[in-house]
Amino acid sequence: MSMIVEKIPEKIRQYCKSIKKKDKSIGFVPTMGALHEGHLSLVKMSLAKCDETVVSIYVNPSQFGHGEDLNAYPRTLDNDLMLLEKMGISAVFVPGNEQMYKEDHMTSVEVSEITSVLCGKSRPVHFKGVTTVVMKLFNIINPDYAFFGEKDYQQAAVIKKMVQDLNIDVKIITGPIVRESDGLAMSSRNVKLNKKQRGQAPVLYKSLIEAEEMLMLGVSAVEVKQRIADKIKMQSEVLIDYLEIVDPVSLENKIDSKNGILVALAVFFGNTRLIDNILVNKIDNDRNQNEKAG
Ligand code: AMP
């Protein structure tokens, strides 16, 4: 059956309802388009787990702050649709702003606390925009499963919290970060990097790997942060937005090593802000501590 492309919320809702009536499960992958292998890895996960897969492509203005790159965000709809059609998904929801935010729109969904750190600190309206649009998308599609990438670690944590706190009937599944061969995390924004910046950007993943190694050896978080900040700053044209070592559950600096350790960063290369993270595994960490003790 050919892929449905729909921009009207009520129509895609009716389509999703018709799937549910047949007792089939729906997997949902929300995206902002300019699709790459990172997005497609989530689509593959959904295709493997669910009877039908619905993808949304919508550059949501409410998650961009003043002066951010809303207008410059890459848009490649025709290519996106071609990629998705090849993968054999059921439907793509491609609303416009006029469908998603009527002039008299007044309602938002906001998760507190974990949205005020990391990306939330430098992008204060971002997560409110994300949770509001994802809630709307969940209400329109009514998926059984929704798939999010670990590249946006904090986003996935915020969505899980929203689902838990508001008793939303959907299971959130996360997928690992997909990287270029030189380690740079795939991102729709990578095309914005000039040649020099693109050459420098793999320093982010290299730094995260080094941070992981140091943490496993028992180097303190303060020292690790200092050393990898120095390494990143050796590139020209970079500005570190944040570089944090936090508890992966609370996202606070106070680390409960049972949960492992999250090293997360956001760095500007010129005007392009890239994010990346690494979850330092609790088991390896424990083993390392034992080896040291032994
Ligand atoms: P975006 O279009 O940037 O809003 O991303 C849509 C979804 O794809 C989000 O759940 C992202 O976390 C996920 N995603 C983006 N880049 C990657 C990547 N390199 N690896 C895995 N997932 C990703």
PDB file of all heavy atoms in Angstrom, residues 239-266:
ATOM      1  N   LEU A 239      32.445  27.960  20.660  1.00  0.00           N
ATOM      2  CA  LEU A 239      32.014  28.584  21.909  1.00  0.00           C
ATOM      3  C   LEU A 239      31.231  27.509  22.671  1.00  0.00           C
ATOM      4  O   LEU A 239      30.245  26.970  22.136  1.00  0.00           O
ATOM      5  CB  LEU A 239      31.114  29.787  21.606  1.00  0.00           C
ATOM      6  CG  LEU A 239      30.552  30.491  22.830  1.00  0.00           C
ATOM      7  CD1 LEU A 239      31.672  31.212  23.584  1.00  0.00           C
ATOM      8  CD2 LEU A 239      29.470  31.484  22.415  1.00  0.00           C
ATOM      9  N   ILE A 240      31.712  27.172  23.853  1.00  0.00           N
ATOM     10  CA  ILE A 240      31.011  26.131  24.617  1.00  0.00           C
ATOM     11  C   ILE A 240      29.778  26.759  25.266  1.00  0.00           C
ATOM     12  O   ILE A 240      29.879  27.737  26.002  1.00  0.00           O
ATOM     13  CB  ILE A 240      31.941  25.522  25.691  1.00  0.00           C
ATOM     14  CG1 ILE A 240      33.125  24.822  25.013  1.00  0.00           C
ATOM     15  CG2 ILE A 240      31.165  24.541  26.576  1.00  0.00           C
ATOM     16  CD1 ILE A 240      34.116  24.192  25.972  1.00  0.00           C
ATOM     17  N   ASP A 241      28.617  26.215  24.938  1.00  0.00           N
ATOM     18  CA  ASP A 241      27.373  26.690  25.560  1.00  0.00           C
ATOM     19  C   ASP A 241      27.278  26.073  26.960  1.00  0.00           C
ATOM     20  O   ASP A 241      27.127  26.765  27.943  1.00  0.00           O
ATOM     21  CB  ASP A 241      26.193  26.295  24.653  1.00  0.00           C
ATOM     22  CG  ASP A 241      24.862  26.711  25.246  1.00  0.00           C
ATOM     23  OD1 ASP A 241      24.857  27.486  26.215  1.00  0.00           O
ATOM     24  OD2 ASP A 241      23.819  26.245  24.740  1.00  0.00           O
ATOM     25  N   TYR A 242      27.390  24.743  27.023  1.00  0.00           N
ATOM     26  CA  TYR A 242      27.538  24.098  28.323  1.00  0.00           C
ATOM     27  C   TYR A 242      28.286  22.784  28.169  1.00  0.00           C
ATOM     28  O   TYR A 242      28.328  22.196  27.073  1.00  0.00           O
ATOM     29  CB  TYR A 242      26.194  23.868  29.026  1.00  0.00           C
ATOM     30  CG  TYR A 242      25.304  22.820  28.377  1.00  0.00           C
ATOM     31  CD1 TYR A 242      25.525  21.452  28.542  1.00  0.00           C
ATOM     32  CD2 TYR A 242      24.224  23.206  27.595  1.00  0.00           C
ATOM     33  CE1 TYR A 242      24.719  20.503  27.950  1.00  0.00           C
ATOM     34  CE2 TYR A 242      23.396  22.264  26.982  1.00  0.00           C
ATOM     35  CZ  TYR A 242      23.656  20.927  27.165  1.00  0.00           C
ATOM     36  OH  TYR A 242      22.867  19.982  26.559  1.00  0.00           O
ATOM     37  N   LEU A 243      28.859  22.371  29.263  1.00  0.00           N
ATOM     38  CA  LEU A 243      29.577  21.101  29.320  1.00  0.00           C
ATOM     39  C   LEU A 243      29.348  20.610  30.743  1.00  0.00           C
ATOM     40  O   LEU A 243      29.820  21.225  31.691  1.00  0.00           O
ATOM     41  CB  LEU A 243      31.050  21.378  29.033  1.00  0.00           C
ATOM     42  CG  LEU A 243      32.092  20.332  29.373  1.00  0.00           C
ATOM     43  CD1 LEU A 243      31.753  19.000  28.763  1.00  0.00           C
ATOM     44  CD2 LEU A 243      33.439  20.793  28.833  1.00  0.00           C
ATOM     45  N   GLU A 244      28.533  19.576  30.883  1.00  0.00           N
ATOM     46  CA  GLU A 244      28.116  19.174  32.235  1.00  0.00           C
ATOM     47  C   GLU A 244      28.296  17.679  32.452  1.00  0.00           C
ATOM     48  O   GLU A 244      28.159  16.883  31.521  1.00  0.00           O
ATOM     49  CB  GLU A 244      26.635  19.522  32.465  1.00  0.00           C
ATOM     50  CG  GLU A 244      26.309  21.008  32.429  1.00  0.00           C
ATOM     51  CD  GLU A 244      26.813  21.764  33.658  1.00  0.00           C
ATOM     52  OE1 GLU A 244      27.262  21.114  34.636  1.00  0.00           O
ATOM     53  OE2 GLU A 244      26.763  23.010  33.627  1.00  0.00           O
ATOM     54  N   ILE A 245      28.577  17.336  33.684  1.00  0.00           N
ATOM     55  CA  ILE A 245      28.639  15.927  34.087  1.00  0.00           C
ATOM     56  C   ILE A 245      27.571  15.776  35.166  1.00  0.00           C
ATOM     57  O   ILE A 245      27.653  16.394  36.237  1.00  0.00           O
ATOM     58  CB  ILE A 245      30.050  15.578  34.601  1.00  0.00           C
ATOM     59  CG1 ILE A 245      31.044  15.747  33.437  1.00  0.00           C
ATOM     60  CG2 ILE A 245      30.079  14.160  35.171  1.00  0.00           C
ATOM     61  CD1 ILE A 245      32.478  15.408  33.743  1.00  0.00           C
ATOM     62  N   VAL A 246      26.534  15.001  34.832  1.00  0.00           N
ATOM     63  CA  VAL A 246      25.352  14.981  35.700  1.00  0.00           C
ATOM     64  C   VAL A 246      24.837  13.561  35.910  1.00  0.00           C
ATOM     65  O   VAL A 246      25.217  12.624  35.205  1.00  0.00           O
ATOM     66  CB  VAL A 246      24.207  15.843  35.088  1.00  0.00           C
ATOM     67  CG1 VAL A 246      24.590  17.317  35.019  1.00  0.00           C
ATOM     68  CG2 VAL A 246      23.806  15.335  33.712  1.00  0.00           C
ATOM     69  N   ASP A 247      23.917  13.471  36.851  1.00  0.00           N
ATOM     70  CA  ASP A 247      23.211  12.213  37.074  1.00  0.00           C
ATOM     71  C   ASP A 247      22.209  12.033  35.915  1.00  0.00           C
ATOM     72  O   ASP A 247      21.444  12.949  35.610  1.00  0.00           O
ATOM     73  CB  ASP A 247      22.458  12.293  38.412  1.00  0.00           C
ATOM     74  CG  ASP A 247      21.765  10.993  38.719  1.00  0.00           C
ATOM     75  OD1 ASP A 247      20.666  10.757  38.167  1.00  0.00           O
ATOM     76  OD2 ASP A 247      22.320  10.201  39.501  1.00  0.00           O
ATOM     77  N   PRO A 248      22.222  10.859  35.258  1.00  0.00           N
ATOM     78  CA  PRO A 248      21.359  10.704  34.082  1.00  0.00           C
ATOM     79  C   PRO A 248      19.865  10.689  34.395  1.00  0.00           C
ATOM     80  O   PRO A 248      19.042  10.801  33.482  1.00  0.00           O
ATOM     81  CB  PRO A 248      21.782   9.368  33.484  1.00  0.00           C
ATOM     82  CG  PRO A 248      22.705   8.733  34.434  1.00  0.00           C
ATOM     83  CD  PRO A 248      23.096   9.704  35.490  1.00  0.00           C
ATOM     84  N   VAL A 249      19.503  10.549  35.657  1.00  0.00           N
ATOM     85  CA  VAL A 249      18.073  10.554  35.995  1.00  0.00           C
ATOM     86  C   VAL A 249      17.637  11.956  36.421  1.00  0.00           C
ATOM     87  O   VAL A 249      16.703  12.533  35.854  1.00  0.00           O
ATOM     88  CB  VAL A 249      17.764   9.518  37.106  1.00  0.00           C
ATOM     89  CG1 VAL A 249      16.300   9.585  37.520  1.00  0.00           C
ATOM     90  CG2 VAL A 249      18.124   8.117  36.619  1.00  0.00           C
ATOM     91  N   SER A 250      18.327  12.530  37.392  1.00  0.00           N
ATOM     92  CA  SER A 250      17.908  13.857  37.887  1.00  0.00           C
ATOM     93  C   SER A 250      18.428  14.993  37.004  1.00  0.00           C
ATOM     94  O   SER A 250      17.913  16.101  37.048  1.00  0.00           O
ATOM     95  CB  SER A 250      18.421  14.059  39.309  1.00  0.00           C
ATOM     96  OG  SER A 250      19.843  14.191  39.292  1.00  0.00           O
ATOM     97  N   LEU A 251      19.464  14.691  36.211  1.00  0.00           N
ATOM     98  CA  LEU A 251      20.186  15.692  35.408  1.00  0.00           C
ATOM     99  C   LEU A 251      20.846  16.762  36.289  1.00  0.00           C
ATOM    100  O   LEU A 251      21.199  17.838  35.816  1.00  0.00           O
ATOM    101  CB  LEU A 251      19.286  16.339  34.337  1.00  0.00           C
ATOM    102  CG  LEU A 251      18.562  15.384  33.383  1.00  0.00           C
ATOM    103  CD1 LEU A 251      17.825  16.153  32.286  1.00  0.00           C
ATOM    104  CD2 LEU A 251      19.513  14.393  32.743  1.00  0.00           C
ATOM    105  N   GLU A 252      20.994  16.451  37.574  1.00  0.00           N
ATOM    106  CA  GLU A 252      21.663  17.370  38.508  1.00  0.00           C
ATOM    107  C   GLU A 252      23.137  16.983  38.639  1.00  0.00           C
ATOM    108  O   GLU A 252      23.516  15.842  38.385  1.00  0.00           O
ATOM    109  CB  GLU A 252      21.030  17.253  39.908  1.00  0.00           C
ATOM    110  CG  GLU A 252      19.556  17.598  39.966  1.00  0.00           C
ATOM    111  CD  GLU A 252      19.325  19.085  40.050  1.00  0.00           C
ATOM    112  OE1 GLU A 252      20.292  19.809  40.353  1.00  0.00           O
ATOM    113  OE2 GLU A 252      18.193  19.517  39.790  1.00  0.00           O
ATOM    114  N   ASN A 253      23.931  17.931  39.145  1.00  0.00           N
ATOM    115  CA  ASN A 253      25.359  17.662  39.340  1.00  0.00           C
ATOM    116  C   ASN A 253      25.621  16.612  40.412  1.00  0.00           C
ATOM    117  O   ASN A 253      26.656  15.948  40.407  1.00  0.00           O
ATOM    118  CB  ASN A 253      26.109  18.936  39.722  1.00  0.00           C
ATOM    119  CG  ASN A 253      26.108  19.914  38.581  1.00  0.00           C
ATOM    120  OD1 ASN A 253      25.469  20.949  38.660  1.00  0.00           O
ATOM    121  ND2 ASN A 253      26.776  19.569  37.497  1.00  0.00           N
ATOM    122  N   LYS A 254      24.686  16.483  41.344  1.00  0.00           N
ATOM    123  CA  LYS A 254      24.863  15.498  42.411  1.00  0.00           C
ATOM    124  C   LYS A 254      24.630  14.112  41.798  1.00  0.00           C
ATOM    125  O   LYS A 254      23.503  13.771  41.412  1.00  0.00           O
ATOM    126  CB  LYS A 254      23.851  15.769  43.533  1.00  0.00           C
ATOM    127  CG  LYS A 254      24.161  15.045  44.802  1.00  0.00           C
ATOM    128  CD  LYS A 254      23.320  15.635  45.951  1.00  0.00           C
ATOM    129  CE  LYS A 254      23.380  14.756  47.169  1.00  0.00           C
ATOM    130  NZ  LYS A 254      22.669  13.472  47.011  1.00  0.00           N
ATOM    131  N   ILE A 255      25.727  13.348  41.687  1.00  0.00           N
ATOM    132  CA  ILE A 255      25.642  12.101  40.926  1.00  0.00           C
ATOM    133  C   ILE A 255      25.422  10.908  41.837  1.00  0.00           C
ATOM    134  O   ILE A 255      26.134  10.711  42.815  1.00  0.00           O
ATOM    135  CB  ILE A 255      26.924  11.913  40.080  1.00  0.00           C
ATOM    136  CG1 ILE A 255      26.952  12.987  38.978  1.00  0.00           C
ATOM    137  CG2 ILE A 255      26.999  10.524  39.478  1.00  0.00           C
ATOM    138  CD1 ILE A 255      28.291  13.170  38.324  1.00  0.00           C
ATOM    139  N   ASP A 256      24.391  10.115  41.495  1.00  0.00           N
ATOM    140  CA  ASP A 256      24.176   8.847  42.176  1.00  0.00           C
ATOM    141  C   ASP A 256      24.736   7.787  41.231  1.00  0.00           C
ATOM    142  O   ASP A 256      24.113   7.456  40.219  1.00  0.00           O
ATOM    143  CB  ASP A 256      22.669   8.641  42.391  1.00  0.00           C
ATOM    144  CG  ASP A 256      22.378   7.319  43.069  1.00  0.00           C
ATOM    145  OD1 ASP A 256      23.320   6.501  43.202  1.00  0.00           O
ATOM    146  OD2 ASP A 256      21.230   7.097  43.457  1.00  0.00           O
ATOM    147  N   SER A 257      25.942   7.281  41.556  1.00  0.00           N
ATOM    148  CA  SER A 257      26.654   6.471  40.556  1.00  0.00           C
ATOM    149  C   SER A 257      25.898   5.191  40.176  1.00  0.00           C
ATOM    150  O   SER A 257      26.198   4.568  39.164  1.00  0.00           O
ATOM    151  CB  SER A 257      28.059   6.138  41.041  1.00  0.00           C
ATOM    152  OG  SER A 257      27.964   5.402  42.237  1.00  0.00           O
ATOM    153  N   LYS A 258      24.864   4.836  40.945  1.00  0.00           N
ATOM    154  CA  LYS A 258      24.033   3.668  40.569  1.00  0.00           C
ATOM    155  C   LYS A 258      23.426   3.869  39.180  1.00  0.00           C
ATOM    156  O   LYS A 258      23.172   2.930  38.451  1.00  0.00           O
ATOM    157  CB  LYS A 258      22.871   3.505  41.559  1.00  0.00           C
ATOM    158  CG  LYS A 258      23.231   2.813  42.848  1.00  0.00           C
ATOM    159  CD  LYS A 258      22.006   2.190  43.521  1.00  0.00           C
ATOM    160  CE  LYS A 258      20.845   3.118  43.780  1.00  0.00           C
ATOM    161  NZ  LYS A 258      21.047   4.169  44.772  1.00  0.00           N
ATOM    162  N   ASN A 259      23.141   5.125  38.856  1.00  0.00           N
ATOM    163  CA  ASN A 259      22.493   5.416  37.579  1.00  0.00           C
ATOM    164  C   ASN A 259      23.486   5.566  36.430  1.00  0.00           C
ATOM    165  O   ASN A 259      23.080   5.758  35.293  1.00  0.00           O
ATOM    166  CB  ASN A 259      21.711   6.729  37.678  1.00  0.00           C
ATOM    167  CG  ASN A 259      20.632   6.680  38.729  1.00  0.00           C
ATOM    168  OD1 ASN A 259      20.043   5.625  38.946  1.00  0.00           O
ATOM    169  ND2 ASN A 259      20.386   7.800  39.390  1.00  0.00           N
ATOM    170  N   GLY A 260      24.775   5.508  36.720  1.00  0.00           N
ATOM    171  CA  GLY A 260      25.778   5.857  35.714  1.00  0.00           C
ATOM    172  C   GLY A 260      26.021   7.361  35.749  1.00  0.00           C
ATOM    173  O   GLY A 260      25.581   8.060  36.665  1.00  0.00           O
ATOM    174  N   ILE A 261      26.733   7.849  34.745  1.00  0.00           N
ATOM    175  CA  ILE A 261      27.058   9.278  34.696  1.00  0.00           C
ATOM    176  C   ILE A 261      26.821   9.775  33.272  1.00  0.00           C
ATOM    177  O   ILE A 261      27.232   9.121  32.307  1.00  0.00           O
ATOM    178  CB  ILE A 261      28.551   9.515  35.056  1.00  0.00           C
ATOM    179  CG1 ILE A 261      28.882   8.937  36.439  1.00  0.00           C
ATOM    180  CG2 ILE A 261      28.903  10.998  35.003  1.00  0.00           C
ATOM    181  CD1 ILE A 261      30.378   8.993  36.779  1.00  0.00           C
ATOM    182  N   LEU A 262      26.159  10.905  33.154  1.00  0.00           N
ATOM    183  CA  LEU A 262      25.931  11.484  31.829  1.00  0.00           C
ATOM    184  C   LEU A 262      26.869  12.668  31.617  1.00  0.00           C
ATOM    185  O   LEU A 262      26.912  13.589  32.433  1.00  0.00           O
ATOM    186  CB  LEU A 262      24.481  11.972  31.709  1.00  0.00           C
ATOM    187  CG  LEU A 262      24.122  12.585  30.360  1.00  0.00           C
ATOM    188  CD1 LEU A 262      23.991  11.505  29.288  1.00  0.00           C
ATOM    189  CD2 LEU A 262      22.831  13.382  30.453  1.00  0.00           C
ATOM    190  N   VAL A 263      27.631  12.602  30.528  1.00  0.00           N
ATOM    191  CA  VAL A 263      28.416  13.766  30.132  1.00  0.00           C
ATOM    192  C   VAL A 263      27.688  14.370  28.930  1.00  0.00           C
ATOM    193  O   VAL A 263      27.456  13.684  27.934  1.00  0.00           O
ATOM    194  CB  VAL A 263      29.858  13.379  29.729  1.00  0.00           C
ATOM    195  CG1 VAL A 263      30.688  14.632  29.473  1.00  0.00           C
ATOM    196  CG2 VAL A 263      30.513  12.495  30.778  1.00  0.00           C
ATOM    197  N   ALA A 264      27.268  15.618  29.042  1.00  0.00           N
ATOM    198  CA  ALA A 264      26.465  16.239  27.978  1.00  0.00           C
ATOM    199  C   ALA A 264      27.059  17.597  27.642  1.00  0.00           C
ATOM    200  O   ALA A 264      27.545  18.304  28.528  1.00  0.00           O
ATOM    201  CB  ALA A 264      25.022  16.404  28.434  1.00  0.00           C
ATOM    202  N   LEU A 265      26.989  17.933  26.362  1.00  0.00           N
ATOM    203  CA  LEU A 265      27.533  19.228  25.967  1.00  0.00           C
ATOM    204  C   LEU A 265      26.761  19.839  24.807  1.00  0.00           C
ATOM    205  O   LEU A 265      26.071  19.149  24.049  1.00  0.00           O
ATOM    206  CB  LEU A 265      29.022  19.091  25.605  1.00  0.00           C
ATOM    207  CG  LEU A 265      29.452  18.018  24.606  1.00  0.00           C
ATOM    208  CD1 LEU A 265      29.115  18.386  23.186  1.00  0.00           C
ATOM    209  CD2 LEU A 265      30.959  17.802  24.714  1.00  0.00           C
ATOM    210  N   ALA A 266      26.870  21.151  24.733  1.00  0.00           N
ATOM    211  CA  ALA A 266      26.361  21.906  23.583  1.00  0.00           C
ATOM    212  C   ALA A 266      27.445  22.910  23.227  1.00  0.00           C
ATOM    213  O   ALA A 266      27.941  23.625  24.104  1.00  0.00           O
ATOM    214  CB  ALA A 266      25.068  22.627  23.926  1.00  0.00           C
TER     215      ALA A 266
END
